[in-house]
Amino acid sequence: MKNKLVYLLPLLMALAVSCVKQAHDPSNDISNYPYPLGTFSGKFTRIHKNIKTLKSDTATASIQLILSTATGYAVTGDTATVHAGSYGSFSENAFNIAFNDNTYPLMGFPKKTHLAGIYLYTMSGLNFTITATDGDSLAYRYDLTKTGN
């Protein structure tokens, strides 16, 4: 009988530990994640790596991004050459943010970069960084700072 209890003891201990209420740490609760909303300003950078020469060329623009649950998103600022001014809806979770650009052309390839598709993001204090890659030769980076509600 003693031998059977020895095998049962670890199972009973695991069951007892799982029933003990754990302290709730709000900083680890994914539902409390500080989603980015408001007005952000900063620099957009497009990095293109030439696959033949392995050299990178970059293009930058100063942009403003407005994220609102009521109206969606809008990109304004220096939208003359590198980045297109655009607007649409967005959704986010703790790691990714997806933009559905209403101004993205239905046919062909746009001449300027549009904020469209799924991006990784980090939000640290007032600093908001959005990054994405397109294949192995094109990368996008938005380094933004919260400037308004």
Side-chain angles (χ1 to χ4, degrees), residues 79-103:
T79 58
T81 56
V82 178
H83 201 290
S86 58
Y87 62 90
S89 60
F90 71 97
S91 61
E92 57 196 3
N93 63 27
F95 310 103
N96 300 301
I97 187 164
F99 296 96
N100 183 23
D101 185 359
N102 291 344
T103 67

Side-chain angles (χ1 to χ4, degrees), residues 29-48:
D29 185 352
I30 203 73
S31 65
N32 289 336
Y33 195 81
Y35 294 114
L37 292 172
T39 303
F40 300 86
S41 296
K43 184 168 82 169
F44 162 74
T45 306
R46 183 183 66 214
I47 305 163
H48 175 255

Side-chain angles (χ1 to χ4, degrees), residues 70-132:
T71 60
Y73 82 94
V75 175
T76 61
D78 179 9
T79 58
T81 56
V82 178
H83 201 290
S86 58
Y87 62 90
S89 60
F90 71 97
S91 61
E92 57 196 3
N93 63 27
F95 310 103
N96 300 301
I97 187 164
F99 296 96
N100 183 23
D101 185 359
N102 291 344
T103 67
Y104 200 87
L106 298 175
M107 302 287 286
F109 191 75
K111 294 182 181 186
K112 296 186 264 182
T113 301
H114 284 250
L115 185 55
I118 300 172
Y119 296 78
L120 292 172
Y121 81 90
T122 58
M123 182 78 183
S124 177
L126 299 177
N127 298 318
F128 181 37
T129 303
I130 307 170
T131 58

